[in-house]
Each structure stands twice: as structure tokens, then as C-alpha cells.
Amino acid sequence: MQRVSLGRRLSKRWMLIVAVVVLVVAGFAVYRLHSIFASQDVTSTPSGAGNDIVPFNPKHVVMEVFGPPGTVATITYLDVNAQPQHADAVALPWSYDTTTTQPAVFVNVQAQGNTDSIGCRIKIDDAVKDERTANEVNAFIYCLDKSG
């Protein structure tokens, strides 16, 4: 029976031993870096943060078109979502009444009637933001509010 020396065994497996030593040193270095840069601490928002959000007060928006009795008008307007709308051959008075929770509202109304007088009004939360009247043949009118 032959005895194989320890040096001979190590010379055959030196790459495996170097790889294990490198892995151990690298693992220890990563462990130390984690503790230095505090990556073990979990940072999150406090659970009460959702309660700090204050909802916007609802806005009550009213657009009106008015004229003498029997007036018929063509009306185009932007609703509270700024989408164009159209109403044809509408008997006056006419109104668009809605409520929104958007922080700002951009509304516009235009109308042309078949009489010599027509008017429009935009109210937000019962405050008149714009009001106009026109007195001319086939009167045309517009009202605009972008501050809402």
C-alpha cells in the first residue's frame, strides 16, 4: 500500500481550494458591505400617510344660455372633462349642471340663436365666473372660464 503525501493531493486539487477560498472571502466582503451601508434596514412609508391626503372639495358647475321666450339656439360647449359637446335646435333657457372633484375646471359655452338677443352665464359654486349678452341679428355669444 502506497502512501500519498498531503502535498501531492493538494497539488491536484489546488483549483478547487482556491475557488472555495475566493467564495468565502467574497461572501464575507458582501456581508460587511451590507452592514456598512445599512441595506438590512427596510425603509417604507408610514402606515398613516394615506390619511394625510385631503380630497378636493367638489365643484358645482352650471352653464346657462338664455334668451327671449321662443328662442331656439345651437349650442356647443366643453363639459367638465374638457370634451366638446353639441346641442342642436335647443329651446332656451338651457343649462348644463354637474358636480366634479377635479382640482380645476375649464368650461366654455357658445351659442347662436334665431333671435336678436341671447346671453350666457357660467357659475362655479354659485359664483358667476363669466356672463355676457349679445343684441344683434342672429345673435352669437360665448362664455369661458378656465380658472374653475
Side-chain angles (χ1 to χ4, degrees), residues 13-99:
R13 298 180 189 229
W14 70 271
M15 289 176 52
L16 179 62
I17 293 170
V18 169
V20 168
V21 169
V22 167
L23 286 175
V24 168
V25 170
F28 181 73
V30 169
Y31 170 75
R32 291 295 296 151
L33 288 174
H34 277 239
S35 64
I36 290 171
F37 292 108
S39 66
Q40 303 295 335
D41 298 336
V42 177
T43 305
S44 65
T45 58
S47 62
N51 297 336
D52 295 341
I53 298 172
V54 178
F56 292 108
N57 292 333
K59 294 182 185 321
H60 182 225
V61 178
V62 178
M63 290 186 282
E64 302 171 330
V65 177
F66 49 88
T71 301
V72 175
T74 299
I75 301 171
T76 57
Y77 62 98
L78 293 178
D79 62 15
V80 292
N81 298 316
Q83 296 299 310
Q85 305 294 328
H86 182 78
D88 225 358
V90 177
L92 299 185
W94 171 90
S95 70
Y96 171 81
D97 189 338
T98 190
T99 302

